[in-house]
Amino acid sequence: MAHTYYDFFAGGGMVSFGLGADWTCLFANDIDAKKAESYRANHHGGAELLLKDVAQVSVEDLPGTPDLIWASFPCQDLSLAGKGAGLAGKRSGMFKPFWKLVRQLHADGRGPKIIALENVYGAITSNGGRDFATLAAAFSGLGYRFGAVVVDAVHFLPQSRPRFFMIGIRSDQRLPAGLCADGPAPLWHPPALREGQRLLSKSAAARWLWWDLAAPLKRNIGLADLIEEQPGSVTWHSAAETQYLLDLMSDVNLAKVRAAQSCGRRIVGTIYRRTRTDAAGVKRQRAEVRFDDIAGCLRTPAGGSSRQTIMVVDGKRIRSRLLSTREAAALMGLPDSYVLPARYNAAYKLAGDGVAVPVVRHLAEQIFEPVLRRNRLSLVA
């Protein structure tokens, strides 16, 4: 039997690739027209997608009763790089009208069995943990038992991308044995999350669960495995452009390049440009490189500063260019068949704003599907 779900703040519909063929999307929503085009291009026309501000969506727009509601609500005001507005901010504040719909579904007798929220790591510490407590209170107020984990996509893909997931189970649903532990696990519950849990209200803490996820298999793919020799969306830099990047490097970063040259094999690194203060107190632009076969976290390419540059070192030969859009998609776990926007920034933004596909699959395998199977067996019995 297929499982059903709603996908709020759906973007290009990456969640569906993680959930897989056993899941049917009853309803999806986003406000971004360009992302909606990608959603429709990759979901057979996307008849279930409503392009509309979530604050303008009504409960009458929502069909059926979903097993799962997934919501990757906007992260900008919760990000460590943001201005600290938190859930009171204009963008991350979209959680409030979304949750209003969830409450209305419950009042209508159609509350989902499972709710999963996804956001940046900063959601745990935003506003001194008060935003985390607000999310917890939302789950507790509807009677959900809930817990949270931090999952880094680097366990599955060569991209450093820690993300926060809060997952709640409706109070009438039975939990399979082994789904929860008596306390936190270091792999999934970092110190900030453990501290946030300690600060919850008494009523929220009473409903808290420590999700006990299995450790993922060892990742068998590196950044170098994803690099295209002849990318379609970008071109290799000229020798002068590559030299310019090298000239922006400090002695420490140049030493990394020299070490890569001495390895006797092709080495792929990533470069970010950052402003650093030198020994004389002068702010200078620097190019910082890493050769750990892992890409930095993909971000929205606002102003171009967050677009990653790759450097390929093969002996004396050094080349550089922007990360291609297809490489960005691969770093999110999307298949080669995924249709990307033609414009570079649109495609990069789509990837940077998305959710890593194998992380969704891991949560589905470890939590969503066991809960749904356990309760369907209960109905049969």
Side-chain angles (χ1 to χ4, degrees):
M1 181 184 294
H3 311 304
T4 59
Y5 70 102
Y6 295 166
D7 187 0
F8 281 90
F9 313 100
M14 297 183 193
V15 168
S16 72
F17 289 87
L19 291 177
D22 290 339
W23 290 78
T24 298
C25 185
L26 300 178
F27 174 84
N29 170 246
D30 206 281
I31 194 174
D32 189 310
K34 292 181 179 178
K35 291 179 180 177
E37 289 179 7
S38 294
Y39 185 102
R40 293 180 178 123
N42 290 283
H43 296 82
H44 310 289
E48 70 278 7
L49 177 67
L50 178 63
L51 180 62
K52 199 174 190 179
D53 187 331
V54 69
Q56 303 303 318
V57 176
S58 70
V59 72
E60 289 75 22
D61 293 320
L62 308 178
T65 303
D67 292 317
L68 164 72
I69 288 182
W70 180 285
S72 296
F73 66 101
C75 67
Q76 293 91 335
D77 300 309
L78 296 166
S79 170
L80 297 176
K83 296 182 179 180
L87 291 178
K90 181 178 180 180
R91 290 169 291 188
S92 297
M94 287 296 100
F95 171 76
K96 296 176 184 178
F98 156 71
W99 198 258
K100 180 180 178 181
L101 287 171
V102 175
R103 293 199 307 268
Q104 290 173 337
L105 275 174
H106 271 268
D108 201 28
R110 297 191 288 138
K113 299 178 180 71
I114 306 170
I115 303 174
L117 305 181
E118 183 258 353
N119 215 286
V120 293
Y121 188 95
I124 303 170
T125 56
S126 174
N127 283 324
R130 289 188 294 276
D131 289 329
F132 177 81
T134 296
L135 298 177
F139 279 89
S140 177
L142 283 179
Y144 280 75
R145 289 171 290 173
F146 68 97
V149 291
V150 172
V151 183
D152 194 335
V154 78
H155 296 306
F156 309 90
L157 299 162
Q159 181 195 171
S160 175
R161 192 180 185 84
R163 285 296 184 265
F164 158 76
F165 301 86
M166 186 172 279
I167 301 166
I169 309 297
R170 203 173 66 197
S171 59
D172 64 333
Q173 299 296 293
R174 297 183 180 183
L175 297 178
L179 198 64
C180 303
D182 293 333
L187 183 60
W188 310 117
H189 306 111
L193 181 54
R194 298 198 292 270
E195 177 63 21
Q197 189 272 341
R198 284 194 290 269
L199 297 176
L200 295 182
S201 68
K202 186 176 181 180
S203 58
R207 295 185 175 277
W208 178 268
L209 302 171
W210 292 109
W211 296 119
D212 191 15
L213 308 182
L217 298 175
K218 184 178 180 181
R219 175 168 52 85
N220 60 4
I221 187 171
L223 176 61
D225 298 314
L226 305 181
I227 297 305
E228 301 175 294
E229 185 60 34
Q230 297 180 318
S233 59
V234 293
T235 57
W236 291 96
H237 289 160
S238 66
E241 289 171 319
T242 298
Q243 186 59 52
Y244 176 72
L245 288 172
L246 292 168
D247 291 341
L248 288 177
M249 290 185 183
S250 65
D251 290 342
V252 170
N253 283 276
L254 285 172
K256 294 179 185 177
V257 177
R258 289 194 292 271
Q261 287 182 296
S262 66
C263 284
R265 59 184 176 87
R266 188 183 78 147
I267 302 290
V268 178
T270 57
I271 296 173
Y272 275 114
R273 297 192 196 187
R274 306 187 189 280
T275 300
R276 300 297 189 195
T277 302
D278 64 16
V282 179
K283 290 185 177 181
R284 300 183 185 278
Q285 188 180 60
R286 289 295 194 185
E288 300 181 350
V289 65
R290 56 190 287 177
F291 287 106
D292 55 2
D293 212 21
I294 298 171
C297 185
L298 295 178
R299 300 183 178 94
T300 298
S305 61
S306 292
R307 297 182 301 184
Q308 289 190 55
T309 298
I310 65 167
M311 177 165 280
V312 180
V313 179
D314 194 353
K316 293 183 178 180
R317 191 184 187 198
I318 303 175
R319 294 179 295 161
S320 62
R321 61 168 171 80
L322 288 176
L323 189 76
S324 77
T325 57
R326 183 54 60 188
E327 290 159 352
L331 285 170
M332 297 301 292
L334 289 169
D336 291 342
S337 58
Y338 189 92
V339 180
L340 292 168
R343 294 178 63 87
Y344 182 92
N345 273 10
Y348 198 99
K349 183 176 188 290
L350 185 78
D353 280 349
V355 59
V357 168
V359 173
V360 178
R361 177 88 302 265
H362 195 64
L363 294 174
E365 289 177 346
Q366 296 292 310
I367 300 178
F368 307 158
E369 291 164 1
V371 167
L372 295 176
R373 283 197 300 267
R374 173 70 178 85
N375 286 278
R376 282 178 179 153
L377 287 174
S378 298
L379 289 175
V380 171

